[in-house]
């Protein structure tokens, strides 16, 4: 019986020492790890300088076609948030600087928050057309300005980081001469 008590006491002592060692709180052993939210935010950080914009304007027979492209040259997708269904606000001014067209005033947009994602190393193009002939606009030189209206990218405020781009174009009469020497005037 004495042997059993000695073995039991030794086992109890060893078990107590083991448990007290498990509860030790050594500061060097504690390592902090970022929360899941912090890790996701770090992985979604986008370098706004790696976003490039381009505007192409073509006029054919009075129909002005505006193509705005945004390229994401970063290694993470760019998820843009817009306050409505409008993505680009195109403004067209005449030679005197008068606004003759502005998509935010001349068109209607759904008042719903809209998200657009541009994958890494990809571009997205938005096109809009304005018929100068139908608007009865005079011939001349015009300037188109395209403003990307997103408010956030990857849940962070943009604060005007994506600058507007502009391009001028001519809307004019085209005249050609036929083989027989007669002049043909074509508007547009």
């Amino acid at each position: 019986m004495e042997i059993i008590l000695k073995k039991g006491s030794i086992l109890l002592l060893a078990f107590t020492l083991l448990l007290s060692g498990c509860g030790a709180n050594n500061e060097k052993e504690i390592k902090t790890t970022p929360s899941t939210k912090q890790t996701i935010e770090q992985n979604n950080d986008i370098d706004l300088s790696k976003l490039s914009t381009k505007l192409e304007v073509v006029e054919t027979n009075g129909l002005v076609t505006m193509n705005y492209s945004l390229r994401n040259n970063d290694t993470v997708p760019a998820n843009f948030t817009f306050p409505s269904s409008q993505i680009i606000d195109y403004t067209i001014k005449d030679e005197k600087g008068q606004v003759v067209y502005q998509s935010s005033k001349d068109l209607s947009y759904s008042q719903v928050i809209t998200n657009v994602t541009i994958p890494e190393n990809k571009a997205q193009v938005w096109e809009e057309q304005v018929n100068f002939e139908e608007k009865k606009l005079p011939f001349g030189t015009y300037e188109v300005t395209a403003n990307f209206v997103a408010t956030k990218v990857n849940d962070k405020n943009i604060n005007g980081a994506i600058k507007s781009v502009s391009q001028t174009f001519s809307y004019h009469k085209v005249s050609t001469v036929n083989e027989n020497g007669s002049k043909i005037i074509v508007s547009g």
Side-chain angles (χ1 to χ4, degrees):
M1 181 83 165
E2 211 174 293
I3 295 178
I4 294 176
L5 281 175
K6 282 184 182 179
K7 284 184 181 179
S9 297
I10 293 173
L11 268 169
L12 184 59
L13 181 62
F15 187 68
T16 305
L17 288 173
L18 180 65
L19 285 178
S20 66
C22 288
N25 194 3
N26 186 347
E27 288 183 28
K28 292 180 183 177
E29 292 177 15
I30 298 173
K31 295 180 182 177
T32 58
T33 57
S35 70
T36 304
K37 184 177 180 183
Q38 288 172 329
T39 303
I40 291 170
E41 286 175 359
Q42 288 170 355
N43 292 339
N44 284 335
D45 278 348
I46 190 159
D47 183 354
L48 293 176
S49 69
K50 292 187 177 181
L51 299 174
S52 58
T53 60
K54 185 173 158 183
L55 176 63
E56 293 179 347
V57 181
V58 176
E59 183 273 327
T60 307
N61 297 324
L63 185 64
V64 177
T65 303
M66 302 166 289
N67 287 304
Y68 177 91
S69 67
L70 179 61
R71 180 163 186 77
N72 176 9
N73 294 309
D74 206 339
T75 57
V76 296
N79 183 23
F80 294 98
T81 303
F82 300 86
S84 71
S85 64
Q86 182 181 20
I87 307 297
I88 311 296
D89 190 13
Y90 293 101
T91 303
I92 302 175
K93 293 181 180 178
D94 62 15
E95 293 170 334
K96 297 174 186 171
Q98 298 294 316
V99 174
V100 297
Y101 174 83
Q102 187 169 9
S103 49
S104 61
K105 293 181 180 174
D106 294 343
L107 301 174
S108 297
Y109 296 94
S110 298
Q111 297 304 304
V112 61
I113 293 174
T114 304
N115 291 304
V116 173
T117 299
I118 302 176
E120 59 273 10
N121 297 310
K122 299 284 182 195
Q124 176 78 40
V125 178
W126 291 273
E127 180 179 287
E128 190 169 317
Q129 295 181 321
V130 178
N131 192 323
F132 272 40
E133 218 170 84
E134 285 179 5
K135 290 188 159 291
K136 300 188 184 330
L137 292 171
F139 297 111
T141 302
Y142 292 84
E143 180 181 61
V144 174
T145 301
N147 183 32
F148 192 67
V149 298
T151 55
K152 294 182 178 186
V153 60
N154 296 359
D155 295 324
K156 292 188 179 182
N157 290 333
I158 291 179
N159 296 328
I162 301 176
K163 303 294 181 203
S164 298
V165 289
S166 298
Q167 182 180 333
T168 58
F169 70 96
S170 292
Y171 172 49
H172 57 276
K173 289 183 180 179
V174 177
S175 62
T176 61
V177 178
N178 275 346
E179 294 172 13
N180 65 5
S182 64
K183 199 177 221 181
I184 300 173
I185 297 178
V186 180
S187 64

